[in-house]
Amino acid sequence: TNKISKKDLRKLAGQTSCIASLLYTWRPFVAMLWAPLYDPKAAAHDTPNLVWHSAIRIPLAWMQAFLEGKFNNLERHYSIQDYLDEGVDTEITVDASPEALGGTLTEDGVITEYFMDDLSEFDEQVLGHRRGGSDGQQAWEALAVLCALRLWSSKWAHKRVRLRVRSDSVTALTLLLKLKATGSGPALIAREAALDIAEALYTPSALAHIPGVANVAADFLSRWRQKGCPPLPRSLQDAAYIPLPPRDARWWRTLG
């Protein structure tokens, strides 16, 4: 059918919210079930007590994919090394300017890799903000976190690490902690992060807010072109530059 009753939808939303309290990677998808209950545009014109199935097609499809085990999110395998909490001390630090993104990977206290990348026209289209202004700053900061986690996910996808994420954006850190966000752009990033975390063996064990003035290396990388491409600071000279993959339609996994 192309319609569903609000009563059934409310019941489904309540049940899945209960599940999301344990499987918290469901949260951004479950949130998409509640919105049509209060949005007049989702209601059928002739029967106000029904909503269009198309309004909840995306969260239904993703929850079905989770339940079918397509992302291995319902199984975890742990080794004795994991139980003893052994592993590399890993830290990601990110920042974003109105024009670009930057981030560093620190392993056992040493910066080993870094990235810097300009925001693109496609980023503008997907996240609904234009580069160069302050309106999209929170979306760019959240995007920087997502890019870093996706770029270096192989470091912790199948083994234990002590992972910390640092940023000067409270919004980006809150998004990663609760997998919830306001606005279409940050909400999309929350869904992307939820899917990535569901596939990985471990999630960030600590999130740290740092003042902007203290975020030296990541801030430098996000503003490198704006500063005229100066030489890298000493802390980055022995680190490897890792380019980000193109953020095209295939990179945004939950859009399909």
Side-chain angles (χ1 to χ4, degrees):
T1 178
N2 61 351
K3 299 175 185 178
I4 182 174
S5 72
K6 287 188 176 181
K7 180 180 179 180
D8 290 341
L9 178 56
R10 188 174 289 105
K11 179 180 179 180
L12 175 65
Q15 291 173 331
T16 53
S17 294
C18 182
I19 296 174
S21 65
L22 178 63
L23 300 177
Y24 73 101
T25 52
W26 278 36
R27 290 176 183 172
F29 301 98
V30 171
M32 298 178 72
L33 293 177
W34 289 101
L37 290 171
Y38 304 99
D39 187 351
K41 296 180 180 178
H45 301 300
D46 52 341
T47 49
N49 63 325
L50 300 179
V51 298
W52 294 110
H53 180 270
S54 58
I56 57 171
R57 178 181 55 83
I58 293 176
L60 288 181
W62 280 106
M63 285 188 287
Q64 181 179 3
F66 278 122
L67 290 172
E68 291 175 350
K70 292 184 178 180
F71 307 104
N72 299 319
N73 68 306
L74 298 180
E75 270 189 29
R76 290 292 184 267
H77 300 275
Y78 300 95
S79 67
I80 187 65
Q81 182 186 28
D82 303 332
Y83 175 77
L84 296 175
D85 198 21
E86 298 175 353
V88 178
D89 189 11
T90 305
E91 184 175 84
I92 287 175
T93 307
V94 299
D95 198 9
S97 72
E99 299 286 347
L101 312 173
T104 62
L105 173 69
T106 302
E107 298 177 283
D108 287 336
V110 178
I111 298 178
T112 56
E113 297 177 1
Y114 68 91
F115 75 85
M116 50 185 171
D117 193 50
D118 293 334
L119 294 170
S120 68
E121 183 178 346
F122 194 74
D123 291 331
E124 293 180 331
Q125 296 174 7
V126 172
L127 297 179
H129 295 285
R130 296 191 63 83
R131 294 166 289 176
S134 59
D135 292 345
Q137 189 60 31
Q138 299 303 325
W140 309 140
E141 297 278 4
L143 178 61
V145 172
L146 177 63
C147 287
L149 289 172
R150 189 164 288 182
L151 178 65
W152 289 309
S153 62
S154 61
K155 301 285 185 179
W156 55 82
H158 304 292
K159 61 182 180 181
R160 170 75 113 181
V161 300
R162 297 187 296 275
L163 176 61
R164 290 188 301 276
V165 177
R166 305 197 310 160
S167 171
D168 57 14
S169 170
V170 174
T171 299
L173 294 174
T174 302
L175 181 151
L176 191 58
L177 175 65
K178 298 184 178 181
L179 295 180
K180 291 182 179 180
T182 57
S184 59
L188 171 60
I189 295 173
R191 295 195 294 274
E192 295 282 331
L195 186 57
D196 289 354
I197 291 174
E199 290 182 321
L201 184 56
Y202 291 99
T203 60
S205 55
L207 305 174
H209 177 260
I210 54 177
V213 294
N215 198 7
V216 179
D219 178 77
F220 173 89
L221 294 170
S222 69
R223 302 178 186 275
W224 184 68
R225 292 190 187 278
Q226 300 174 37
K227 295 180 178 180
C229 306
L232 293 175
R234 184 183 300 273
S235 61
L236 296 174
Q237 289 179 357
D238 294 328
Y241 166 67
I242 308 297
L244 290 179
R247 290 183 297 281
D248 53 17
R250 291 175 296 178
W251 189 87
W252 293 98
R253 305 170 66 193
T254 63
L255 286 180

